[in-house]
Amino acid sequence: MAYVYEISFDIESDKMNQLKIGASLERVLGYLRSLLPGEPGYVTSRALYSLDSEDTTHVIFQSEWQDWGDLNRHINSSMLENKVLTEFDPHVKLEHLTSRAMNEVA
């Protein structure tokens, strides 16, 4: 049974261009996807963004873990997605991040 950690947030469309100047959001999410495989119990990850709204872009990053202990270690590590995304402050504020720990339905 897989365990998933998900973070999500919205970025207003007028702020997307600012995020692409200097430090690209896609680059940071790609950086996370390249580092997480070194973590114990890591299975896979995916990054998604919405295409259905002109006003805001909804961004989701999910990482999958083998068991609850692996997910807990990740949540308490410096590799936690919430911590890495602080690079985008003030556009992505931690209080605007939604995070969830989930168990896959069998």
Side-chain angles (χ1 to χ4, degrees), residues 65-104:
W65 304 87
Q66 288 181 5
D67 61 41
W68 180 245
D70 296 329
L71 176 56
N72 261 333
R73 273 189 295 283
H74 174 62
I75 288 171
N76 293 305
S77 78
S78 62
M79 291 304 302
L80 186 65
E81 293 85 341
N82 304 34
K83 296 173 186 171
V84 174
L85 286 168
T86 58
E87 176 179 339
F88 289 102
D89 186 54
H91 305 294
V92 179
K93 295 189 179 297
L94 288 181
E95 63 265 19
H96 295 150
L97 289 175
T98 300
S99 59
R100 294 178 179 91
M102 299 177 283
N103 191 359
E104 184 177 36

Side-chain angles (χ1 to χ4, degrees), residues 17-105:
N17 288 339
Q18 295 175 33
L19 291 176
K20 292 178 180 175
I21 297 169
S24 162
L25 181 59
E26 289 182 24
R27 187 192 66 191
V28 169
L29 294 176
Y31 173 72
L32 273 170
R33 292 185 76 190
S34 68
L35 290 179
L36 289 177
E39 297 293 300
Y42 171 83
V43 176
T44 190
S45 60
R46 61 195 139 280
L48 309 138
Y49 65 91
S50 65
L51 301 173
D52 59 351
S53 174
E54 292 182 18
D55 298 329
T56 60
T57 299
H58 187 70
V59 179
I60 298 171
F61 187 88
Q62 296 176 333
S63 56
E64 188 174 321
W65 304 87
Q66 288 181 5
D67 61 41
W68 180 245
D70 296 329
L71 176 56
N72 261 333
R73 273 189 295 283
H74 174 62
I75 288 171
N76 293 305
S77 78
S78 62
M79 291 304 302
L80 186 65
E81 293 85 341
N82 304 34
K83 296 173 186 171
V84 174
L85 286 168
T86 58
E87 176 179 339
F88 289 102
D89 186 54
H91 305 294
V92 179
K93 295 189 179 297
L94 288 181
E95 63 265 19
H96 295 150
L97 289 175
T98 300
S99 59
R100 294 178 179 91
M102 299 177 283
N103 191 359
E104 184 177 36
V105 175

